Amino acid sequence: MSIKRSPISYNSARFNKSAAKLSQCPDDIGAEVAFAGRSNAGKSSAINTLTNNKKLARTSKTPGRTQLINFFDLNIEHTRIVDLPGYGFAKVPLEMKLHWQKHLDNYLQKRECLRGVVLVMDIRHPMKEFDQMMTQWCKSTGMPLHVLLTKADKLKKGPAQSTLLKLKKELTAELGDNVSLQIFSALKRQGIDQLSMRIDSWLLEGMEDEFDGQPEE
C-alpha cells in the first residue's frame, strides 16, 4: 500500500524571528499553527521532538524569554509553526503578565493566517487555568484545537488512556468536532506521526491540488 508523502518537512524548521507584540510578527500571509501551554508542560520539548532539533525551541529558566512569540519557517513558503508564551511558573510582576496576556490575545484574535492551536498539557496535570482560558478562546472563535498530553512516559498506559478518554469526553462535549486529543512523549518519541498529520491537515488545507504530484512511498 502506497502512502502519499507530506510535502511538509518539520525537520526543515528554522528560526525566523521573535515578536513581543502583533506589529512585530512576520507578514500575515500563508498559514501557521501555534503551540501554547503553561510553563513546564513540555511545549519546547514537543516542538523540538516534532522538528528533530533539540535546540530549535530553547528551554529557558529566564522569564524574560517567555514573553516573546517565536516563529519558525517550514520548507513550504509562508508556512510556519509558532511558539507562544508560556505561563504558570514565571516569577514576574503581575503587570508584566498582564502585558504578555494582552499581546497574546491580540495575536490569537487578529492573526488571519493562524489555522489551529496545539495546546500542550502535562498529562498528569491537565486543564489548569491557562488551559481553560485557551479552550474557551478556541470555543468562542471557532479555532481548531489539538490537545497534546505530554510526558506520557511518566504514567502507566492504563492511567494515561483514562486521562485521554476523560478529557476527550469533556472537551468534545464543549467544542464538538473542533477539538482532537492525543498522548505524546518527547522522551520516548511517542505520538510524533499523529501530531504531524494533524498540523499537516491545517497547514495544507486548500493546497491539496498544488501537491497532487508529490511522490508516493
Side-chain angles (χ1 to χ4, degrees):
M1 180 179 178
S2 62
I3 301 174
K4 185 174 287 188
R5 181 188 304 161
S6 169
I8 295 179
S9 169
Y10 293 98
N11 291 5
S12 73
R14 296 294 181 268
F15 176 74
N16 177 323
K17 68 183 300 186
S18 295
K21 52 187 177 181
L22 186 66
S23 62
Q24 297 173 352
C25 294
D27 292 342
D28 195 356
I29 56 177
E32 62 194 31
V33 169
F35 280 71
R38 296 172 69 246
S39 302
N40 246 25
K43 176 164 58 69
S44 294
S45 295
I47 293 173
N48 291 345
T49 302
L50 172 68
T51 59
N52 198 30
N53 185 343
K54 294 180 180 179
K55 296 182 178 180
L56 190 69
R58 296 184 183 275
T59 54
S60 174
K61 294 181 181 179
T62 306
R65 282 187 58 87
T66 316
Q67 64 182 298
L68 301 176
I69 302 173
N70 297 302
F71 294 83
F72 304 100
D73 291 335
L74 298 170
N75 61 310
I76 296 176
E77 189 175 14
H78 305 312
T79 61
R80 295 169 294 274
I81 54 176
V82 184
D83 186 6
L84 297 179
Y87 293 89
F89 289 92
K91 295 181 180 178
V92 297
L94 177 61
E95 183 179 356
M96 182 175 287
K97 285 194 177 184
L98 293 175
H99 172 79
W100 296 356
Q101 189 167 330
K102 172 189 173 184
H103 291 300
L104 176 60
D105 187 63
N106 280 341
Y107 168 82
L108 293 170
Q109 295 282 1
K110 299 177 181 178
R111 190 71 173 167
E112 294 290 338
C113 63
L114 181 62
R115 296 288 180 264
V117 172
V118 177
L119 181 55
V120 180
M121 304 183 199
D122 185 329
I123 194 168
R124 300 166 299 174
H125 312 290
M127 294 306 295
K128 298 295 185 182
E129 184 179 0
F130 175 76
D131 305 323
Q132 293 172 7
M133 181 181 79
M134 289 300 302
T135 54
Q136 284 303 308
W137 178 84
C138 288
K139 180 180 179 180
S140 66
T141 60
M143 180 64 64
L145 175 67
H146 185 64
V147 174
L148 199 67
L149 295 170
T150 60
K151 306 187 182 182
D153 50 278
K154 304 290 186 182
L155 291 181
K156 291 184 177 180
K157 187 174 180 180
Q161 285 295 324
S162 294
T163 299
L164 174 67
L165 292 174
K166 179 183 177 184
L167 273 180
K168 185 174 183 179
K169 183 177 180 180
E170 292 175 1
L171 292 176
T172 301
E174 192 167 357
L175 301 172
D177 294 337
N178 229 26
V179 65
S180 52
L181 301 88
Q182 74 165 100
I183 287 173
F184 189 88
S185 169
L187 182 66
K188 293 188 176 181
R189 300 185 63 80
Q190 174 189 0
I192 300 173
D193 288 346
Q194 187 177 351
L195 175 59
S196 60
M197 286 174 64
R198 171 54 62 193
I199 300 176
D200 279 356
S201 71
W202 291 338
L203 292 179
L204 297 175
E205 186 176 1
M207 297 186 189
E208 291 86 353
D209 293 341
E210 187 175 345
F211 299 110
D212 274 350
Q214 289 291 322
E216 296 186 351
E217 57 180 16

